[in-house]
mmCIF file of all heavy atoms in Angstrom:
data_model
loop_
_atom_site.group_PDB
_atom_site.id
_atom_site.type_symbol
_atom_site.label_atom_id
_atom_site.label_comp_id
_atom_site.label_asym_id
_atom_site.label_seq_id
_atom_site.Cartn_x
_atom_site.Cartn_y
_atom_site.Cartn_z
ATOM 1 N N ARG D 105 155.523 79.344 244.499
ATOM 2 C CA ARG D 105 155.461 79.684 243.076
ATOM 3 C C ARG D 105 154.214 78.973 242.464
ATOM 4 O O ARG D 105 153.829 77.919 242.894
ATOM 5 C CB ARG D 105 156.707 79.248 242.273
ATOM 6 C CG ARG D 105 157.933 80.041 242.748
ATOM 7 C CD ARG D 105 159.104 79.723 241.786
ATOM 8 N NE ARG D 105 158.912 80.341 240.485
ATOM 9 C CZ ARG D 105 159.456 81.514 240.137
ATOM 10 N NH1 ARG D 105 160.254 82.133 240.931
ATOM 11 N NH2 ARG D 105 159.217 81.978 238.916
ATOM 12 N N LEU D 106 153.627 79.692 241.525
ATOM 13 C CA LEU D 106 152.312 79.158 241.000
ATOM 14 C C LEU D 106 152.475 77.813 240.347
ATOM 15 O O LEU D 106 151.594 76.997 240.528
ATOM 16 C CB LEU D 106 151.745 80.186 240.027
ATOM 17 C CG LEU D 106 151.438 81.591 240.635
ATOM 18 C CD1 LEU D 106 150.972 82.539 239.593
ATOM 19 C CD2 LEU D 106 150.345 81.440 241.739
ATOM 20 N N GLY D 107 153.569 77.637 239.680
ATOM 21 C CA GLY D 107 153.784 76.255 239.058
ATOM 22 C C GLY D 107 153.814 75.204 240.161
ATOM 23 O O GLY D 107 153.271 74.067 239.931
ATOM 24 N N ASP D 108 154.432 75.511 241.252
ATOM 25 C CA ASP D 108 154.482 74.504 242.324
ATOM 26 C C ASP D 108 153.082 74.196 242.915
ATOM 27 O O ASP D 108 152.768 73.061 243.309
ATOM 28 C CB ASP D 108 155.407 74.982 243.427
ATOM 29 C CG ASP D 108 156.820 75.155 242.943
ATOM 30 O OD1 ASP D 108 157.177 74.495 241.906
ATOM 31 O OD2 ASP D 108 157.650 75.889 243.572
ATOM 32 N N THR D 109 152.293 75.258 242.924
ATOM 33 C CA THR D 109 150.905 75.050 243.427
ATOM 34 C C THR D 109 150.157 74.088 242.577
ATOM 35 O O THR D 109 149.577 73.109 243.041
ATOM 36 C CB THR D 109 150.140 76.385 243.420
ATOM 37 O OG1 THR D 109 150.914 77.313 244.169
ATOM 38 C CG2 THR D 109 148.761 76.210 244.048
ATOM 39 N N VAL D 110 150.257 74.325 241.260
ATOM 40 C CA VAL D 110 149.566 73.365 240.353
ATOM 41 C C VAL D 110 150.059 71.927 240.418
ATOM 42 O O VAL D 110 149.371 71.006 240.504
ATOM 43 C CB VAL D 110 149.644 73.944 238.913
ATOM 44 C CG1 VAL D 110 149.087 72.878 237.903
ATOM 45 C CG2 VAL D 110 148.903 75.282 238.778
ATOM 46 N N THR D 111 151.380 71.818 240.467
ATOM 47 C CA THR D 111 152.001 70.507 240.622
ATOM 48 C C THR D 111 151.462 69.803 241.899
ATOM 49 O O THR D 111 151.120 68.634 241.851
ATOM 50 C CB THR D 111 153.517 70.652 240.752
ATOM 51 O OG1 THR D 111 153.966 71.248 239.508
ATOM 52 C CG2 THR D 111 154.197 69.310 240.948
ATOM 53 N N ARG D 112 151.417 70.555 242.974
ATOM 54 C CA ARG D 112 150.933 70.018 244.230
ATOM 55 C C ARG D 112 149.485 69.479 244.056
ATOM 56 O O ARG D 112 149.159 68.341 244.517
ATOM 57 C CB ARG D 112 150.973 71.092 245.288
ATOM 58 C CG ARG D 112 150.839 70.642 246.678
ATOM 59 C CD ARG D 112 151.451 71.675 247.632
ATOM 60 N NE ARG D 112 151.010 73.087 247.438
ATOM 61 C CZ ARG D 112 149.853 73.637 247.924
ATOM 62 N NH1 ARG D 112 149.010 72.823 248.602
ATOM 63 N NH2 ARG D 112 149.568 74.867 247.667
ATOM 64 N N TYR D 113 148.642 70.181 243.371
ATOM 65 C CA TYR D 113 147.326 69.713 243.149
ATOM 66 C C TYR D 113 147.169 68.534 242.219
ATOM 67 O O TYR D 113 146.393 67.652 242.419
ATOM 68 C CB TYR D 113 146.341 70.886 242.771
ATOM 69 C CG TYR D 113 145.855 71.592 243.994
ATOM 70 C CD1 TYR D 113 146.668 72.478 244.663
ATOM 71 C CD2 TYR D 113 144.607 71.322 244.516
ATOM 72 C CE1 TYR D 113 146.216 73.164 245.790
ATOM 73 C CE2 TYR D 113 144.179 71.962 245.704
ATOM 74 C CZ TYR D 113 144.951 72.848 246.277
ATOM 75 O OH TYR D 113 144.543 73.488 247.451
ATOM 76 N N HIS D 114 147.999 68.570 241.194
ATOM 77 C CA HIS D 114 148.015 67.455 240.303
ATOM 78 C C HIS D 114 148.345 66.140 241.162
ATOM 79 O O HIS D 114 147.700 65.072 241.016
ATOM 80 C CB HIS D 114 149.111 67.562 239.209
ATOM 81 C CG HIS D 114 148.602 68.251 238.005
ATOM 82 N ND1 HIS D 114 147.556 67.752 237.237
ATOM 83 C CD2 HIS D 114 148.996 69.407 237.391
ATOM 84 C CE1 HIS D 114 147.355 68.521 236.232
ATOM 85 N NE2 HIS D 114 148.195 69.626 236.299
ATOM 86 N N GLU D 115 149.313 66.290 242.039
ATOM 87 C CA GLU D 115 149.669 65.102 242.840
ATOM 88 C C GLU D 115 148.551 64.646 243.745
ATOM 89 O O GLU D 115 148.324 63.463 244.022
ATOM 90 C CB GLU D 115 150.894 65.411 243.718
ATOM 91 C CG GLU D 115 152.210 65.594 242.851
ATOM 92 C CD GLU D 115 153.317 66.235 243.616
ATOM 93 O OE1 GLU D 115 153.137 66.517 244.847
ATOM 94 O OE2 GLU D 115 154.384 66.434 243.009
ATOM 95 N N ARG D 116 147.757 65.612 244.230
ATOM 96 C CA ARG D 116 146.674 65.287 245.089
ATOM 97 C C ARG D 116 145.522 64.497 244.335
ATOM 98 O O ARG D 116 144.880 63.638 244.860
ATOM 99 C CB ARG D 116 146.037 66.501 245.699
ATOM 100 C CG ARG D 116 146.947 67.122 246.703
ATOM 101 C CD ARG D 116 146.300 68.313 247.353
ATOM 102 N NE ARG D 116 147.287 69.031 248.216
ATOM 103 C CZ ARG D 116 146.972 70.087 248.985
ATOM 104 N NH1 ARG D 116 145.754 70.540 248.987
ATOM 105 N NH2 ARG D 116 147.892 70.602 249.699
ATOM 106 N N ALA D 117 145.377 64.961 243.119
ATOM 107 C CA ALA D 117 144.190 64.430 242.333
ATOM 108 C C ALA D 117 144.530 63.137 241.559
ATOM 109 O O ALA D 117 143.729 62.253 241.447
ATOM 110 C CB ALA D 117 143.712 65.507 241.351
ATOM 111 N N ASP D 118 145.744 63.071 241.123
ATOM 112 C CA ASP D 118 146.132 62.059 240.175
ATOM 113 C C ASP D 118 145.961 60.659 240.852
ATOM 114 O O ASP D 118 146.511 60.428 241.937
ATOM 115 C CB ASP D 118 147.607 62.260 239.766
ATOM 116 C CG ASP D 118 147.975 61.368 238.625
ATOM 117 O OD1 ASP D 118 147.166 61.164 237.701
ATOM 118 O OD2 ASP D 118 149.137 60.985 238.546
ATOM 119 N N GLY D 119 145.256 59.790 240.139
ATOM 120 C CA GLY D 119 145.101 58.483 240.698
ATOM 121 C C GLY D 119 143.984 58.359 241.722
ATOM 122 O O GLY D 119 143.609 57.243 242.124
ATOM 123 N N ARG D 120 143.479 59.481 242.173
ATOM 124 C CA ARG D 120 142.447 59.386 243.166
ATOM 125 C C ARG D 120 141.055 59.718 242.646
ATOM 126 O O ARG D 120 140.043 59.237 243.110
ATOM 127 C CB ARG D 120 142.736 60.446 244.319
ATOM 128 C CG ARG D 120 143.780 59.994 245.322
ATOM 129 C CD ARG D 120 143.817 60.875 246.513
ATOM 130 N NE ARG D 120 145.010 60.561 247.325
ATOM 131 C CZ ARG D 120 146.209 61.062 247.091
ATOM 132 N NH1 ARG D 120 146.423 61.878 246.079
ATOM 133 N NH2 ARG D 120 147.205 60.694 247.842
ATOM 134 N N ALA D 121 141.061 60.600 241.646
ATOM 135 C CA ALA D 121 139.803 61.162 241.198
ATOM 136 C C ALA D 121 138.914 60.095 240.466
ATOM 137 O O ALA D 121 139.351 59.372 239.653
ATOM 138 C CB ALA D 121 140.038 62.299 240.266
ATOM 139 N N ALA D 122 137.596 60.188 240.813
ATOM 140 C CA ALA D 122 136.618 59.231 240.241
ATOM 141 C C ALA D 122 136.012 59.846 238.990
ATOM 142 O O ALA D 122 135.396 59.070 238.220
ATOM 143 C CB ALA D 122 135.586 58.873 241.309
ATOM 144 N N VAL D 123 136.011 61.130 238.862
ATOM 145 C CA VAL D 123 135.451 61.793 237.695
ATOM 146 C C VAL D 123 136.509 62.764 237.215
ATOM 147 O O VAL D 123 137.446 63.075 237.872
ATOM 148 C CB VAL D 123 134.112 62.500 237.938
ATOM 149 C CG1 VAL D 123 133.033 61.465 238.365
ATOM 150 C CG2 VAL D 123 134.266 63.639 238.949
#
Side-chain angles (χ1 to χ4, degrees):
Chain D
R105 293 189 71 98
L106 297 177
D108 296 339
T109 306
V110 173
T111 299
R112 197 157 46 84
Y113 274 78
H114 272 301
E115 290 167 2
R116 291 184 186 183
D118 193 34
R120 284 193 187 82
V123 297

